[in-house]
Amino acid sequence: MTRYTELAERYGTPLYVYDLDRVAAARQDLLDALPEPFSLFSAVKANPHPEVLRVLAEGDGRTCRAEISSLGELAAALEAGFDPAGILYTGPGKTDGELHEALAAGVGLFSVESPTDLEHVGAAAVARGTEADCLLRINSASASAATSIRMTGRPSQFGIDAETLGEVLPRLRAVAGTRLVGAHFFPLSNASDEDSLVEEFRNTLSVAARLEREHGLPLRFVDIGGGFAAPYAVPGERPVYEKLRERLEEALDETFPRWREGSVRFACESGRYLVGDSGSLLTRVVNVKESRGRTFVILDAGINTFGGMSGLGRLLPVAVQPEGPEQAARIADGTGLSASLVGPLCTPGDVLGRQVDLPDVRVGDLLTIPNAGAYGPTASLLMFLGRPAPAEVLVRGGAVVSATRIEHRRVEVAPSGDRQPVGGGPA
Ligand SMILES: *Cc1c(COP(=O)(O)O)cnc(C)c1O
């Protein structure tokens, strides 16, 4: 039996298996690919499992900082041991209650997405008798320097339109309770190759330098975003960026010559690169059916288990690998099929992939979806149709160190504020 068949038998399917050694390796590779003084933010949303976060937070000296966007992520980051002072709080809809709690917990940095967002942060900080360090998220939206140097971007709930900065900056600098310490960019996700990643960073750095030069945007800290790639639900290796460090240093010498003195600090951020290749999803074939000339392979994992981004209407380029010798022998015979890979939910939307090349699968076969460590359970429609969340097993040094599942349950909600009868009339 392979390790996966053994784990599937022990814990049932659908089952996520994460290898924590791979998380540690990805973290080290990415830190090594960045110039020495760079910070690296780990985007908690990619995989908020507490043990995964603990690995990202561990280590002395150079390690990850947490990038969060909710109080749930804040609690997870703190529990994992991230230093609150190093946490970056992002998102276009930070509420007053969230800001108060984040400030109370000692969160050190806020990315603000609009002038009003900055005012909300300021009001919460003033109410707590403190000041919050803020980065202005910039919507420069030049999609990629390789294809375009457009400076006008698409409308977005994220970031302040770069072209309005000259006009709004004087007001932003005066918002009580806030210190504008820098800028935050996130123009790109999952870059196709190292050259386009470098090109995007060069572009971002020159935009930042220009905004500082032309508008006096205060820059003590510049988060130039991410775009670090990882295979997602298909076989393949996470890239190792061999040239990035040197090319970034060259770009910094051109755009921010003072960077070597440390008077301006830089950061990058990543979700999928850090956790993507650590995970595999094990799923069993529940049924195989034909309909009007098409084959449907029905799995016990659907968009409730591996929604990925299918909530956005995107199908994964999913590929499955068979487990077990008997099945491997069948594949060696060369029999295979192209089928729709669907989940067990009662919705036609429960499709993981169409025309997926599969071995000749049978009911009961165990399949693996590789590189499923990012945007797994918590990016899925976990509660839809009332199935249990998948178990998540963590392996370190080849041994199982944790096996849990997320459980959802209904709880009483305490009323908040005054208790006027609903509708204002007598109850
Ligand atoms: C989601 C997100 C990330 C992580 O993106 P990946 O493509 O997983 O690396 C980083 N930064 C911000 C601002 C994000 O919203």
Side-chain angles (χ1 to χ4, degrees):
M1 276 204 296
T2 67
R3 193 179 59 138
Y4 282 158
T5 54
E6 194 183 316
L7 290 174
E9 259 161 45
R10 204 186 310 169
Y11 298 105
T13 56
L15 178 70
Y16 278 90
V17 181
Y18 305 115
D19 185 339
L20 294 178
D21 295 323
R22 283 177 166 260
V23 177
R27 170 179 148 255
Q28 199 54 51
D29 284 349
L30 197 46
L31 284 168
D32 288 345
L34 298 174
E36 198 68 55
F38 266 57
S39 294
L40 175 59
F41 288 106
S42 154
V44 170
K45 74 167 186 251
N47 188 330
H49 193 295
E51 298 302 324
V52 171
L53 292 181
R54 218 183 289 283
V55 172
L56 291 168
E58 76 189 7
D60 304 324
R62 229 180 159 205
T63 188
C64 288
R65 300 166 60 170
E67 176 166 326
I68 61 166
S69 194
S70 72
L71 292 181
E73 290 190 347
L74 173 61
L78 294 176
E79 199 190 317
F82 284 104
D83 176 9
I87 292 179
L88 172 63
Y89 202 116
T90 68
K94 306 175 200 76
T95 65
D96 208 38
E98 284 171 350
L99 289 167
H100 275 275
E101 276 205 41
L103 288 164
V107 167
L109 197 55
F110 293 82
S111 169
V112 298
E113 311 259 9
S114 60
T116 37
D117 193 27
L118 182 69
E119 284 161 13
H120 294 163
V121 175
V126 167
R128 299 199 61 82
T130 182
E131 279 198 318
D133 282 349
C134 294
L135 305 178
L136 282 188
R137 182 156 170 186
I138 307 291
N139 175 8
S140 59
S142 45
S144 158
T147 54
S148 150
I149 313 181
R150 276 176 299 124
M151 280 311 306
T152 49
R154 278 179 299 173
S156 170
Q157 75 266 49
F158 299 113
I160 294 176
D161 301 336
E163 65 277 12
T164 67
L165 205 59
E167 189 188 319
V168 297
L169 198 55
R171 174 156 74 92
L172 300 186
R173 299 186 73 142
V175 174
T178 65
R179 273 185 302 254
L180 274 193
V181 297
H184 176 201
F185 296 82
F186 190 68
L188 177 78
S189 207
N190 209 17
S192 55
D193 54 56
E194 185 165 15
D195 286 340
S196 38
L197 189 66
V198 168
E199 209 40 51
E200 192 64 47
F201 284 144
R202 292 186 68 89
N203 185 51
T204 297
L205 285 168
S206 65
V207 170
R210 189 176 60 78
L211 294 176
E212 180 182 56
R213 201 169 54 238
E214 290 180 4
H215 303 302
L217 179 64
L219 291 185
R220 280 163 35 206
F221 192 96
V222 188
D223 178 346
I224 61 171
F228 307 103
Y232 188 39
V234 290
E237 298 287 317
R238 164 173 67 71
V240 174
Y241 296 111
E242 307 277 357
K243 299 178 284 185
L244 182 61
R245 187 181 180 129
E246 212 182 309
R247 306 269 304 268
L248 269 176
E249 291 179 357
E250 286 162 17
L252 287 165
D253 284 336
E254 285 166 33
T255 48
F256 289 92
R258 70 184 197 275
W259 79 276
R260 288 185 190 270
E261 302 148 26
S263 60
V264 51
R265 288 175 303 134
F266 293 89
C268 284
E269 51 194 49
S270 174
R272 69 188 65 227
Y273 185 93
L274 293 169
V275 296
D277 81 345
S278 73
S280 300
L281 172 58
L282 311 186
T283 172
R284 270 192 209 284
V285 177
V286 179
N287 208 347
V288 180
K289 81 166 253 195
E290 301 290 328
S291 172
R292 304 210 160 106
R294 265 172 64 190
T295 306
F296 290 79
V297 172
I298 299 150
L299 305 174
D300 61 7
I303 56 175
N304 57 327
T305 300
F306 194 40
M309 295 291 139
S310 53
L312 305 175
R314 289 183 209 156
L315 288 183
L316 294 170
V318 63
V320 294
Q321 295 163 347
E323 295 294 328
E326 192 260 337
Q327 204 191 24
R330 259 189 274 142
I331 297 146
D333 289 346
T335 44
L337 65 152
S338 169
S340 289
L341 209 53
V342 305
L345 304 185
C346 292
T347 165
D350 192 13
V351 179
L352 293 183
R354 290 188 215 283
Q355 293 180 322
V356 179
D357 288 328
L358 293 173
D360 169 29
V361 292
R362 297 182 194 163
V363 172
D365 280 350
L366 183 67
L367 302 178
T368 311
I369 299 179
N371 291 315
Y375 305 111
T378 59
S380 301
L381 295 176
L382 270 187
M383 295 187 65
F384 196 37
L385 275 133
R387 286 166 187 270
E392 296 172 89
V393 164
L394 296 172
V395 176
R396 193 157 205 184
V400 172
V401 294
S402 152
T404 58
R405 78 168 84 244
I406 295 171
E407 188 167 286
H408 16 265
R409 62 206 165 88
R410 189 171 294 279
V411 296
E412 278 307 317
V413 181
S416 62
D418 54 2
R419 297 186 208 175
Q420 292 300 317
V422 174

